[in-house]
């Protein structure tokens, strides 16, 4: 009988000790949790330290303001800089990627369309910049100071041949030079060659060459193949 009572007492003591130990551990976790909450509190108070955004999602493409613009050493690099400048919505950067004749074209278009120069050049004189991401480039060609590169036009689902000019040691968009007849082709583009081959193999189905899209200057009046000046100039 004494043995049984002793066993019950020992069991009771062990149960009490276990309960106390569990209670102590629980208290320790609660204290640690409080400490952690106190550590995280500044993040809630300081928006600069939080990565959670409660505002609306911005579907616009990145501004690309950190992309260096200027001193392009190839037509392809010039196009990438032009695309970055357009996406940054920085008119000064866009202007830096335009040749002198292209800026002259922008000024004439501004007067004819009754728009600011910034509005005229905001898309970089090419529909290919409408893409949210950098479009695919191919077939870069250079001959002397004249160059071109084909850029995928996602809007029209075609390759546009974009003209560039080496001016003051840097490649720049030469749409104005091409319109003024001062730009020389560095050779047939891959797109033109493909269309010619397709026409040769299918003479009954002629594929017409589509002009490079340029919504800013497509409606300007021409005279002898060149854009005429406004009547008030």
């Amino acid at each position: 009988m004494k043995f049984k009572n002793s066993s019950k007492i020992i069991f009771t003591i062990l149960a009490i000790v276990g309960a106390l130990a569990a209670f102590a551990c629980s208290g320790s976790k609660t204290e640690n949790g409080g400490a952690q909450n106190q550590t995280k509190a500044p993040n809630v108070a300081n928006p600069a330290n939080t990565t959670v955004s409660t505002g609306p999602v911005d579907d616009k493409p990145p501004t690309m303001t950190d992309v260096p613009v200027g001193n392009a050493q190839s037509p392809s690099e010039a196009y990438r800089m032009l695309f970055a400048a357009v996406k940054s919505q920085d008119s000064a950067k866009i202007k830096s990627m335009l040749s002198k004749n292209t800026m002259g074209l922008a000024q004439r278009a501004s007067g004819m369309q009754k728009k600011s120069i910034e509005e005229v050049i905001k898309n970089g004189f090419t529909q290919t910049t409408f893409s949210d991401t950098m479009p695919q480039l191919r077939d870069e060609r250079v001959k002397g100071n004249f160059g071109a590169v084909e850029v995928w036009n996602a809007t029209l689902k075609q390759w546009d041949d974009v003209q560039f000019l080496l001016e003051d040691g840097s490649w720049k968009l030469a749409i104005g030079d091409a319109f003024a007849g001062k730009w020389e082709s560095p050779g047939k583009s891959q797109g033109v060659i493909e269309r010619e081959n397709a026409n040769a193999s299918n003479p009954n189905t002629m594929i017409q060459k589509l002009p490079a899209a340029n919504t800013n200057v497509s409606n300007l009046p021409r005279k002898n193949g060149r854009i005429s000046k406004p009547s008030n100039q």
Side-chain angles (χ1 to χ4, degrees), residues 116-173:
S116 67
I117 292 180
E118 289 71 22
E119 180 70 15
V120 171
I121 69 172
K122 70 177 183 179
N123 294 319
F125 278 113
T126 168
Q127 201 175 44
T128 60
T129 59
F130 291 176
S131 173
D132 290 343
T133 57
M134 176 68 67
Q136 185 179 353
L137 308 181
R138 73 173 188 179
D139 192 29
E140 177 186 278
R141 286 152 286 124
V142 173
K143 183 178 180 181
N145 293 334
F146 306 101
V149 61
E150 284 196 321
V151 184
W152 179 248
N153 186 327
T155 302
L156 298 180
K157 308 300 181 184
Q158 68 177 31
W159 290 98
D160 285 353
D161 202 29
V162 184
Q163 301 94 345
F164 290 91
L165 172 72
L166 184 61
E167 185 176 78
D168 299 329
S170 176
W171 286 95
K172 299 182 180 181
L173 185 72

Side-chain angles (χ1 to χ4, degrees), residues 195-208:
R195 286 190 290 271
E196 289 178 348
N197 291 338
N199 289 334
S201 60
N202 299 285
N204 295 326
T205 307
M206 298 297 290
I207 301 176
Q208 295 182 352

